[in-house]
Amino acid sequence: KAREWNDTGLLEGWRVAWAEAANAALEAEGHAGRLDHRSLEAQRADWQARADAAPDPRTRQRALIEVVRLTYIPQPSIGRAAWAAMAKGQDDDPRFADRIQEWRAAAASKVAAETDANRLTAALEAEIAAERERERDLAAAEARREAEERERLAAQAAQQAADERRRRETVEQWEALRRERIDRAERRAARREEAERLKRDQWERERLEEAYYADEWRLQRDRDLSEGLLLDGVLGESLRLYWLGDERQ
């Protein structure tokens, strides 16, 4: 008899190897289920530790749901005879009734734990779906708000551009009016200056004409006086008296 097979460590190694082989086969066939060679207590402790170290509430909730899923009575080994009696519907056989009842209670507790875990999972998924829906609604509302804000800013920018354009047009109109008034004032000043110049020229011409006629008059007088000196008699004396008298006047 090989007593080393009674070693607990060897048994644990077989359990690990069996679980790894079974899980590899399940994965190869595309099944999501996995085997865990550890005891229910060890599995619950592992999931509880994951829940305690969870980085966010959702991860913690999922870990706690697995704790609920594993919180059931382990199914006892009832032996082949009890299995045969249970298969025949002889649950009330006094030889196996207690073991069968114990096994069915454990099975019922596992079903209840699975049902509770599935209910909590459904509630969690519904809550996550509702939260995602709220997030989508909020995102849509935010997108609408941003679109409205962009439209408002665009309308505001357009209004500001229109106001600025009107302001520039008004400034340009006032500047054009100012330049026109300046031009009119400069033209009036130029006309006044031209009128003054023409007036001065007219006055100068008149003065020159007066001087010219005065010179002509003196020349004519001198000629007449010269001629009067050559005349004899009364006519010469009359001319001299005329010019001399005119000078005295």
Side-chain angles (χ1 to χ4, degrees), residues 107-195:
S109 71
K110 184 175 182 179
V111 171
E114 187 70 21
T115 301
D116 291 341
N118 291 338
R119 178 178 54 79
L120 292 173
T121 300
L124 177 61
E125 294 300 331
E127 183 180 347
I128 292 174
E131 184 175 343
R132 288 175 179 171
E133 183 66 23
R134 287 193 299 270
E135 290 176 353
R136 284 194 294 269
D137 293 342
L138 290 175
E142 182 64 18
R144 288 194 299 271
R145 190 193 66 78
E146 291 179 354
E148 292 173 356
E149 181 66 14
R150 286 194 297 271
E151 292 177 358
R152 186 187 68 80
L153 292 176
Q156 183 180 357
Q159 183 63 39
Q160 290 176 350
D163 294 342
E164 179 63 19
R165 185 170 57 254
R166 285 194 295 270
R167 188 191 67 80
R168 287 197 302 268
E169 291 174 354
T170 302
V171 170
E172 290 174 357
Q173 291 174 357
W174 278 105
E175 183 64 19
L177 291 174
R178 188 183 68 81
R179 288 195 299 268
E180 184 179 355
R181 287 196 296 269
I182 292 174
D183 292 341
R184 286 201 301 267
E186 290 177 349
R187 288 195 295 271
R188 286 196 299 269
R191 287 195 296 270
R192 284 196 300 270
E193 184 177 353
E194 181 66 17

Side-chain angles (χ1 to χ4, degrees), residues 63-239:
L64 292 176
I65 288 173
E66 294 305 314
V67 172
V68 172
R69 194 186 306 277
L70 294 169
T71 305
Y72 61 89
I73 302 171
Q75 289 178 312
S77 176
I78 60 177
R80 293 174 60 186
W83 275 108
M86 188 169 54
K88 295 177 182 179
Q90 298 174 354
D91 293 6
D92 55 352
D93 189 326
R95 294 174 298 169
F96 314 113
D98 292 342
R99 279 182 287 173
I100 293 174
Q101 185 178 1
E102 183 181 358
W103 186 91
R104 290 193 182 281
S109 71
K110 184 175 182 179
V111 171
E114 187 70 21
T115 301
D116 291 341
N118 291 338
R119 178 178 54 79
L120 292 173
T121 300
L124 177 61
E125 294 300 331
E127 183 180 347
I128 292 174
E131 184 175 343
R132 288 175 179 171
E133 183 66 23
R134 287 193 299 270
E135 290 176 353
R136 284 194 294 269
D137 293 342
L138 290 175
E142 182 64 18
R144 288 194 299 271
R145 190 193 66 78
E146 291 179 354
E148 292 173 356
E149 181 66 14
R150 286 194 297 271
E151 292 177 358
R152 186 187 68 80
L153 292 176
Q156 183 180 357
Q159 183 63 39
Q160 290 176 350
D163 294 342
E164 179 63 19
R165 185 170 57 254
R166 285 194 295 270
R167 188 191 67 80
R168 287 197 302 268
E169 291 174 354
T170 302
V171 170
E172 290 174 357
Q173 291 174 357
W174 278 105
E175 183 64 19
L177 291 174
R178 188 183 68 81
R179 288 195 299 268
E180 184 179 355
R181 287 196 296 269
I182 292 174
D183 292 341
R184 286 201 301 267
E186 290 177 349
R187 288 195 295 271
R188 286 196 299 269
R191 287 195 296 270
R192 284 196 300 270
E193 184 177 353
E194 181 66 17
E196 291 293 332
R197 186 185 64 78
L198 292 175
K199 185 184 296 184
R200 289 194 301 272
D201 292 345
Q202 180 67 25
W203 179 81
E204 184 66 20
R205 283 194 297 273
E206 291 177 355
R207 188 181 67 78
L208 291 174
E209 287 178 358
E210 290 178 358
Y212 171 77
Y213 287 125
D215 291 342
E216 285 293 319
W217 180 84
R218 282 192 291 273
L219 289 173
Q220 184 63 37
R221 185 197 63 180
D222 292 342
R223 284 196 296 272
D224 291 344
L225 287 176
S226 298
E227 292 175 357
L229 293 175
L230 298 176
L231 294 175
D232 292 334
V234 179
L235 181 57
E237 183 64 20
S238 297
L239 286 171

